[in-house]
Amino acid sequence: MKYFEVHFRLNAPDDLRQDVSDVLAAMAGECGFETFEENDEGLTGYVQRDLFDEAALRNVLDSFPFGEEQGVSIGYEVNDAPDRDWNEQWEKEGFEPINVGTHLIIYDGRHLPPPSSFNPSPSTIIIEARQAFGTGNHATTRMMCQALIDLGMDGKTLLDCGTGTGILSIVALKYGATEAVGYDIDEWSVENARHNAGLNGVDQQFTSVWGNAGVIRQLQRKFDVVAANINRNILLADMQQMRQALPQYRGTMLLSGFYREDVPLLEAKARELGMHLEDEKEEDGWSCLKFRIN
């Protein structure tokens, strides 16, 4: 399989550089990029040649939440990636066990601990990720996992928008949800989510669908909880469709993937849709919001 490597040159103040890199990886991941490597100049992203959409990448950069007013600029250069055994490369990658609060540990499925110390309980999740975002390593994912646990998923159904590795669906199902449906615009994410659901023994209750928010209309059904860990611009564009997946007079929407300064925009959009902000979490400048129907 042939890949392009896109070298992103990041110019940003030192206190914003990591945030700019994280947001760029998240947004570029939504237009086909599969993995990223940090370097001195910024970030190198890898995308299949057949899936590379430069117009979509330019749209990402045009709508980027950091700009000249913060001293941030991003340039990029596209080159053919050297041939590698990418499966072998991903097999070598991994992450240390991640603690979410005091109740949940997320393990890398390729680097599990010895059987004597591993307990496959509801408080243990196994993830084999094809990119770092969606392992629990990022603040937004940790906050969303904790929000699902705090909400109490017993007997509930979940719509997981932009499912990625499937981690939010898996957490919900391990903590008592009866069903989860996840959708994603990347076909490899859809397959990766199904694979991870199987690793955690919840594949019979999980459905993974390829597509964007238009999937919601095709499903023609309601869910108790809608969760989305996506960037601000996509959330603002999709929240109306996401609201339609909740019953008219009840239900919860959990959102993350944006900064604290973006909260007023999302709260205003939620009010337009008949929802109010019930709770907010913050970690490293990122926010996670819990909305209820009025």
Side-chain angles (χ1 to χ4, degrees), residues 144-156:
M144 288 290 279
C145 290
Q146 188 64 59
L148 288 166
I149 295 169
D150 293 344
L151 179 62
M153 292 304 299
D154 198 32
K156 292 184 171 67

Side-chain angles (χ1 to χ4, degrees), residues 116-131:
S116 59
S117 64
F118 181 70
N119 178 22
S121 69
S123 61
T124 301
I125 303 293
I126 305 168
I127 293 293
E128 290 185 1
R130 299 220 16 216
Q131 65 178 43

Side-chain angles (χ1 to χ4, degrees), residues 100 138-148 150 168 256-258 280-288:
V100 177
H138 196 273
T140 59
T141 313
R142 291 194 299 272
M143 287 190 292
M144 288 290 279
C145 290
Q146 188 64 59
L148 288 166
D150 293 344
L168 299 184
S256 195
F258 47 86
E280 178 181 355
K281 301 179 187 297
E282 184 177 345
E283 184 178 340
D284 298 333
W286 299 90
S287 285
C288 175

Side-chain angles (χ1 to χ4, degrees), residues 151 153 156-161 216-217 219-228 238-255 270 273-276 290-294:
L151 179 62
M153 292 304 299
K156 292 184 171 67
T157 56
L158 172 73
L159 178 64
D160 181 4
C161 308
I216 296 171
R217 184 173 58 255
L219 291 172
Q220 295 185 332
R221 55 165 299 186
K222 307 295 183 183
F223 297 83
D224 299 304
V225 182
V226 171
D238 290 355
M239 279 175 69
Q240 183 170 1
Q241 291 167 282
M242 291 160 55
R243 169 64 181 87
Q244 292 169 359
L246 292 169
Q248 185 173 359
Y249 299 113
R250 62 180 177 82
T252 303
M253 186 178 290
L254 301 173
L255 303 180
L273 299 172
M275 297 183 293
H276 67 275
K290 174 184 175 183
F291 292 107
R292 294 274 199 183
I293 294 173
N294 295 333

Side-chain angles (χ1 to χ4, degrees), residues 100-118:
V100 177
T102 59
H103 304 289
L104 175 64
I105 301 176
I106 302 167
Y107 286 102
D108 177 3
R110 294 179 293 260
H111 304 280
L112 291 174
S116 59
S117 64
F118 181 70

Side-chain angles (χ1 to χ4, degrees), residues 18-177:
Q18 188 61 54
D19 290 342
V20 171
S21 179
D22 288 345
V23 174
L24 178 60
M27 293 179 71
E30 291 165 3
C31 57
F33 284 77
E34 296 186 8
T35 193
F36 300 90
E37 296 174 349
E38 292 187 347
N39 53 56
D40 291 340
E41 284 193 330
L43 202 65
T44 300
Y46 295 89
V47 59
Q48 292 181 36
R49 292 186 193 178
D50 292 345
L51 298 180
F52 181 53
D53 184 342
E54 191 162 9
L57 178 60
R58 287 176 181 152
N59 286 336
V60 163
L61 298 179
D62 288 343
S63 62
F64 202 70
F66 296 95
E68 293 181 1
E69 60 274 18
Q70 291 97 10
V72 174
S73 64
I74 302 173
Y76 71 91
E77 178 182 318
V78 182
N79 295 304
D80 291 335
D83 288 337
R84 300 190 199 179
D85 184 339
W86 287 92
N87 287 328
E88 180 181 354
Q89 184 78 12
W90 282 316
E91 286 293 326
K92 291 179 180 177
E93 294 175 358
F95 57 89
E96 294 297 317
I98 297 163
N99 291 292
V100 177
T102 59
H103 304 289
L104 175 64
I105 301 176
I106 302 167
Y107 286 102
D108 177 3
R110 294 179 293 260
H111 304 280
L112 291 174
S116 59
S117 64
F118 181 70
N119 178 22
S121 69
S123 61
T124 301
I125 303 293
I126 305 168
I127 293 293
E128 290 185 1
R130 299 220 16 216
Q131 65 178 43
F133 205 83
T135 61
N137 207 26
H138 196 273
T140 59
T141 313
R142 291 194 299 272
M143 287 190 292
M144 288 290 279
C145 290
Q146 188 64 59
L148 288 166
I149 295 169
D150 293 344
L151 179 62
M153 292 304 299
D154 198 32
K156 292 184 171 67
T157 56
L158 172 73
L159 178 64
D160 181 4
C161 308
T163 190
T165 62
I167 189 169
L168 299 184
S169 291
I170 293 165
V171 169
L173 292 167
K174 295 274 271 186
Y175 279 83

